[in-house]
Amino acid sequence: MRLKNRLQGWIQTPPDESSNQEGVRTRPEEPVSASNPSFTDGIATKDIRVDPSTALSVRIFLPESALLPSDRPQPKSKAEESSLKSENNGDQGYTPSGQNCRKLPIMLQFHGGGWVSGSNDSVANDSFCQRIAKLCDAIVVAVGYRLAPESKYPAAFEDGLKVLNWLGKQSNNSTGDEPWLVAHADPSRCVLLGVSCGANIADYVARRTVELGKELDPVKVVAQILMYPFFLANEPTQSEIRLANTYFYDKAICLLAWQLFLPKDEFSLEHPAANPLAPNRGPPLKLMPPTLTVVAEHDWMRDQGVAYSEELRKVNVPAPLLDYKDTVHEFATLEMLLNTPQAEACAEDICIWVKKYISLGCHEFSY
């Protein structure tokens, strides 16, 4: 109800976009998790401002497995924490040595929140990304894109593509200025991971990579993961008819979010940002990367995700569907549900599938 009231308030009294040219990427009432550049519980994190002219930023999740065994910090007791800080250059945390650094794949993650809330450093998103980084043995780069209504479409989509271009520069010693990525990131093994509305951003970025081709070298998107995507269409589905007014994130709240995200003269459930199967939306589906779609049984948008997955399979794109019973929208990423068996199983299932595309052995894993 608080979210619904907030959205209705923004629609009645829109914020002055001219007063905040940079945009916003988080809400003051939503708790965030501080970054920790030293390896705690096997993960080091760091925040980077990608675009000085906007609020666009990323949080990097670097698993300790990126370090050679001889370079990994030994477990310390609480009494030895100060010693651990000293080893990791105090507040600066881990600094790559530049020699024999292990390269890891990149997972570019886009958080959920219905365009208007959520952040890449929220408590829930931080915990989820740490889980994925550990399970997948990959560097997770969580994107703090600009939120609506301060920054309407296509701001969030443009931010996603801008970060992908930025990642390409980080892989080069002469152009990269982020030492963790210069030392450890392998941009030729890049996976897009979108949560809720973040799945819409991921799918847009995947389409743009197909269109841009070698212009994005050395970045290569090898797969994408769409978790309960925020897809809509004019034609109601069975899940929409059955579940539109049940559970949180009901249809009324979601439509308010879309009204705040899309420019007034563009609002339509057939908008390319909302419907990936809208007519004349390019490129051809057969050119899309392998796509894993996660859906929840009690999510009114479930059938839209299922339909997209089916259309991809029709044109021979590897596009499995993971359909979890007794679950709701964002069941694997909401803070209150992160430790449920379904959330833990979902993260493990994602990593089993994605390792087929990011493993150096290529055929080492099978789904």
Side-chain angles (χ1 to χ4, degrees), residues 139-213:
I139 300 170
V140 174
V141 178
V143 180
Y145 55 84
R146 289 170 289 170
L147 301 177
E150 292 85 354
S151 302
K152 291 183 176 290
Y153 172 86
F157 288 67
E158 292 174 342
D159 287 350
L161 190 60
K162 184 173 288 187
V163 171
L164 197 69
N165 279 288
W166 176 79
L167 285 176
K169 295 178 182 177
Q170 301 310 312
S171 65
N172 190 315
N173 284 320
S174 60
T175 59
D177 54 12
E178 171 35 54
W180 288 9
L181 297 179
V182 171
H184 297 292
D186 179 359
S188 70
R189 294 182 288 157
C190 182
V191 175
L192 307 177
L193 170 57
V195 175
S196 189
C197 66
N200 299 44
I201 301 175
D203 191 66
Y204 166 83
V205 173
R207 290 169 184 265
R208 292 292 289 135
T209 62
V210 171
E211 294 170 341
L212 293 170

Side-chain angles (χ1 to χ4, degrees), residues 52-293:
S53 65
T54 72
L56 176 61
S57 67
V58 298
R59 172 163 288 187
I60 302 171
F61 296 80
L62 181 69
E64 193 175 275
S65 59
L67 280 62
L68 296 176
S70 58
D71 295 332
R72 295 176 190 174
Q74 298 300 311
K76 303 288 181 179
S77 65
K78 288 186 178 180
E80 296 173 305
E81 283 182 355
S82 59
S83 174
L84 177 58
K85 271 194 171 184
S86 176
E87 289 178 24
N88 286 326
N89 299 328
D91 292 337
Q92 296 301 312
Y94 165 66
T95 300
S97 64
Q99 297 179 346
N100 301 319
C101 289
R102 183 169 177 242
K103 295 286 188 178
L104 295 180
I106 303 171
M107 298 188 75
L108 190 61
Q109 191 259 1
F110 304 96
H111 66 82
W115 309 119
V116 299
S117 63
S119 68
N120 62 330
D121 58 358
S122 70
V123 173
N125 201 66
D126 184 87
S127 298
F128 172 72
C129 289
Q130 291 207 35
R131 174 178 287 174
I132 293 295
K134 289 179 185 177
L135 288 173
C136 295
D137 193 21
I139 300 170
V140 174
V141 178
V143 180
Y145 55 84
R146 289 170 289 170
L147 301 177
E150 292 85 354
S151 302
K152 291 183 176 290
Y153 172 86
F157 288 67
E158 292 174 342
D159 287 350
L161 190 60
K162 184 173 288 187
V163 171
L164 197 69
N165 279 288
W166 176 79
L167 285 176
K169 295 178 182 177
Q170 301 310 312
S171 65
N172 190 315
N173 284 320
S174 60
T175 59
D177 54 12
E178 171 35 54
W180 288 9
L181 297 179
V182 171
H184 297 292
D186 179 359
S188 70
R189 294 182 288 157
C190 182
V191 175
L192 307 177
L193 170 57
V195 175
S196 189
C197 66
N200 299 44
I201 301 175
D203 191 66
Y204 166 83
V205 173
R207 290 169 184 265
R208 292 292 289 135
T209 62
V210 171
E211 294 170 341
L212 293 170
K214 293 188 176 181
E215 291 182 37
L216 288 172
D217 283 351
V219 175
K220 183 179 180 183
V221 173
V222 297
Q224 69 168 340
I225 301 156
L226 309 179
M227 299 182 69
Y228 17 81
F230 211 50
F231 294 157
L232 298 177
N234 279 333
E235 187 69 27
T237 63
Q238 287 300 309
S239 64
E240 180 177 341
I241 294 170
R242 199 164 41 88
L243 299 165
N245 299 313
T246 58
Y247 305 102
F248 44 81
Y249 294 132
D250 61 20
K251 185 177 180 180
I253 287 181
C254 292
L255 289 180
L256 288 174
W258 276 103
Q259 289 178 50
L260 290 165
F261 177 62
L262 293 175
K264 192 171 183 178
D265 59 350
E266 293 185 38
F267 180 77
S268 168
L269 299 188
E270 294 296 325
H271 192 286
N275 184 1
L277 300 176
N280 303 318
R281 185 181 179 189
L285 288 182
K286 65 181 181 180
L287 301 179
M288 292 295 284
T291 301
L292 174 67
T293 304

Side-chain angles (χ1 to χ4, degrees), residues 4-24:
K4 189 173 185 178
N5 290 336
R6 189 196 312 168
L7 300 187
Q8 290 173 333
W10 277 331
I11 287 177
Q12 293 170 1
T13 310
D16 183 4
E17 296 178 30
S18 62
S19 66
N20 195 336
Q21 297 293 329
E22 291 187 357
V24 299

